[in-house]
Amino acid sequence: MNYKVIEVDVTTIKVNAGQPRLAYDEDGIDALASDIRHRGLLHPVILANDGEELTLVCGQRRLIATKKLGWTTIRAMVLLNATELLETALAENFLRKDLEAFDQAEAFYDLLNEKQLCLKDIARLVGKSVSSVCEIAKLMRIPKELRHDETLRRKPLRFQIKLSRYGTEEDIHAAYRRYEETGQLPVMKAQSTVSTLRELSKKIADIRTQLGKIDFLDLDFDNAVHINLKEEVTELLAAIHGRGWFRIDLIRFRQY
């Protein structure tokens, strides 16, 4: 077993500087603290032991809430191997159960962007289908302030996923405000993602055909047009890679 569950002095826990959640809604923390006071801490926080100190991996909201309650210790699950913390933690069944949907989304986002994994890699790592990982990762479309909203965090996953599909952050904010006012999400505008992707695919094919007609040996490689083209292509590849649709070896495609 590569972890142990113990009571830890809250003053000895170091908050990971890489934690994606840095600010919290005070009302949300108060609501969580009230819930913990009445029902107890249902899930321990997750800590990593690097031999010298205990670093928080998961459960920052719970740690803040218990401090507000005046608790001096907190139940914690301590990882005994701090190497590749996020991958190790997600690979363990106990942490997959401990994470709320928005926490999972932030973890997946970190794996996609910081660890450069693709959706298929993450799905295999956490024991979920690619479609499930993709749906949860899309929760990052929801604005940060809403992801910290305690009421929204307690909503069913299917509600959170539906909210994430409303488009821009402004659209999502508007949809959630409508829900708060009426108890129902507004009718979603018709989406044609497949049609958009088909049209995009045709445009890319056309561009590839046009590029094939250009004799690049005749180009001045210091020409502003050529430099701009390189930058645009590089940014396109980076954007596709960042979306996690499929893996692209950006090193092979670096500008020269």
Side-chain angles (χ1 to χ4, degrees), residues 103-168:
D103 293 327
Q104 291 184 47
E106 291 178 358
F108 293 166
Y109 182 84
D110 183 69
L111 290 174
L112 285 167
N113 293 276
E114 299 298 328
K115 305 298 183 180
Q116 299 296 300
L117 298 184
C118 65
L119 291 172
K120 186 176 181 179
D121 293 332
I122 298 173
R124 182 172 60 252
L125 179 67
V126 301
K128 294 179 179 288
S129 67
V130 173
S131 60
S132 294
V133 170
C134 185
E135 291 283 16
I136 293 173
K138 288 177 182 177
L139 294 180
M140 290 299 287
R141 294 174 177 173
I142 297 176
K144 182 187 294 186
E145 55 270 25
L146 289 184
R147 297 200 307 271
H148 295 170
D149 183 273
E150 196 62 33
T151 300
L152 179 56
R153 293 181 69 88
R154 293 176 182 274
K155 291 292 182 184
L157 176 60
R158 61 181 180 275
F159 178 92
Q160 297 167 345
I161 290 175
K162 184 176 181 179
L163 182 64
S164 72
R165 294 172 177 167
Y166 274 84
T168 66

Side-chain angles (χ1 to χ4, degrees), residues 31-190:
L32 179 59
S34 176
D35 185 73
I36 293 174
R37 180 189 296 110
H38 289 94
R39 298 199 298 165
L41 186 66
L42 299 182
H43 302 288
V45 297
I46 310 300
L47 307 177
N49 185 355
D50 63 3
E52 296 182 356
E53 54 190 5
L54 297 174
T55 302
L56 187 69
V57 175
C58 178
Q60 192 170 359
R61 295 172 62 255
R62 276 163 285 162
L63 178 60
I64 294 173
T66 53
K67 286 182 177 179
K68 290 199 74 168
L69 291 173
W71 290 15
T72 57
T73 64
I74 188 171
R75 188 161 56 96
M77 190 171 286
V78 181
L79 302 179
L80 303 181
N81 180 3
T83 303
E84 298 296 337
L85 290 180
L86 190 54
E87 289 94 327
T88 300
L90 284 172
E92 291 291 339
N93 185 59
F94 66 77
L95 187 51
R96 291 206 304 272
K97 290 181 178 178
D98 178 75
L99 285 172
E100 295 179 351
F102 287 125
D103 293 327
Q104 291 184 47
E106 291 178 358
F108 293 166
Y109 182 84
D110 183 69
L111 290 174
L112 285 167
N113 293 276
E114 299 298 328
K115 305 298 183 180
Q116 299 296 300
L117 298 184
C118 65
L119 291 172
K120 186 176 181 179
D121 293 332
I122 298 173
R124 182 172 60 252
L125 179 67
V126 301
K128 294 179 179 288
S129 67
V130 173
S131 60
S132 294
V133 170
C134 185
E135 291 283 16
I136 293 173
K138 288 177 182 177
L139 294 180
M140 290 299 287
R141 294 174 177 173
I142 297 176
K144 182 187 294 186
E145 55 270 25
L146 289 184
R147 297 200 307 271
H148 295 170
D149 183 273
E150 196 62 33
T151 300
L152 179 56
R153 293 181 69 88
R154 293 176 182 274
K155 291 292 182 184
L157 176 60
R158 61 181 180 275
F159 178 92
Q160 297 167 345
I161 290 175
K162 184 176 181 179
L163 182 64
S164 72
R165 294 172 177 167
Y166 274 84
T168 66
E169 290 192 353
E170 291 76 11
D171 293 333
I172 293 174
H173 265 297
Y176 192 60
R177 282 197 300 270
R178 174 66 67 85
Y179 173 79
E180 291 180 315
E181 294 169 357
T182 67
Q184 292 185 334
L185 288 170
V187 177
M188 193 179 301
K189 297 178 182 178

